[in-house]
Amino acid sequence: MKLSLAIPCYNEATNLPLLLDRCMALDSGSDIEVILVDNGSTDKSLEVLSKLLPRYSNCRTVRVETNQGYGFGILSGLRAARGDIMGWTHADMQTDPQDAQKGLELFDRHGDGIFVKGRRYGRPIMDVVFTVGMSAFETLLLARPMWDINAQPTMFSRRFFETWQSPPHDFSLDLYAYYQAKMHELKVHRFPVKFGERAHGVSHWNVNWAAKWKFIRRTVDFSLQLKKNMVVVNI
């Protein structure tokens, strides 16, 4: 298996048919798999996946019985993955899972000793301001360029993933993976990805400034811990 793409899905039943159709186009001679993680959903996600998945040969699911966070869902998918290249993206259709194909081309060009992330465009101006502020803070605190940390897809080699120690189970997983790549001196490659509107439903965190403030506090706490305790394992 060349690529395993994990997509955490929490109460995304209405988005799943669209998501699966987009994932189907990733099928490339059975060397790309998509792992849809039912991340403790309480809607009809399980029913929808059971009905639709047999139509998509390159897609399968992992079930998390109780939601334990965005990062936990991703890690559940990655630990079940078979690919030499691994990664994740979102289920809400704001980013296209087919963007992973562009990321895979970078691995074909540069080898597996790289770290790949999208670079978002087309976002509301206030979201951009928020991202720039968080990126500047992380760059100054961690003394390494850290820009658009939560952009997707995020892609890396299995060998790199196997060095991770106690990764976080929440939204800090994006920061953890990015910083680990910097600490291992992996060459980071970015490529532009269009960031659109959600097809259905609402964000589980980006709903107002109170939610953003809660996200900031969690991220700052984790960033301080990361700076203090990060241990690098050579790969």
Side-chain angles (χ1 to χ4, degrees), residues 100-172:
Q101 188 69 58
K102 300 175 185 176
L104 194 57
E105 292 169 2
L106 292 171
F107 285 95
D108 290 339
R109 194 178 312 153
H110 301 286
D112 68 358
I114 63 173
F115 183 81
V116 171
K117 281 186 76 69
R119 185 178 64 250
R120 295 173 289 186
Y121 68 91
R123 303 169 66 214
I125 185 62
M126 291 309 297
D127 284 354
V128 173
V129 170
F130 176 78
T131 294
V132 169
M134 290 301 296
S135 297
F137 168 79
E138 298 294 353
T139 295
L140 290 172
L141 178 67
L142 301 175
R144 288 165 179 80
M146 307 286 291
W147 297 103
D148 201 3
I149 295 162
N150 297 103
Q152 307 303 339
T154 299
M155 301 171 67
F156 41 84
S157 71
R158 173 178 293 277
R159 187 161 52 103
F160 172 59
F161 174 65
E162 289 173 349
T163 69
W164 294 9
Q165 299 181 3
S166 302
H169 289 176
D170 59 11
F171 280 100
S172 299

Side-chain angles (χ1 to χ4, degrees), residues 10-12 15 92 94 198 200-207:
Y10 179 63
N11 291 345
E12 297 284 1
N15 279 324
D92 56 18
Q94 288 185 287
R198 284 183 60 96
H200 299 285
V202 297
S203 170
H204 299 301
W205 76 275
N206 189 16
V207 291

Side-chain angles (χ1 to χ4, degrees), residues 10-66:
Y10 179 63
N11 291 345
E12 297 284 1
T14 52
N15 279 324
L16 286 173
L18 298 173
L19 178 63
L20 282 164
D21 281 345
R22 296 303 291 172
C23 290
M24 181 172 62
L26 280 171
D27 193 2
S28 178
S30 299
D31 61 354
I32 298 176
E33 66 170 355
V34 178
I35 303 171
L36 300 173
V37 181
D38 183 359
N39 200 18
S41 297
T42 56
D43 63 359
K44 294 184 178 180
S45 292
L46 182 60
E47 178 183 334
V48 172
L49 287 170
S50 298
K51 179 181 179 180
L52 295 183
L53 272 178
R55 306 177 192 175
Y56 301 91
S57 60
N58 65 321
C59 299
R60 58 190 177 100
T61 188
V62 168
R63 168 73 177 172
V64 175
E65 292 299 328
T66 302

Side-chain angles (χ1 to χ4, degrees), residues 209-224:
W209 279 101
K212 281 186 171 70
W213 176 243
K214 184 177 180 180
F215 172 82
I216 290 171
R217 289 183 60 184
R218 286 201 314 263
T219 302
V220 169
D221 288 344
F222 179 74
S223 301
L224 293 171

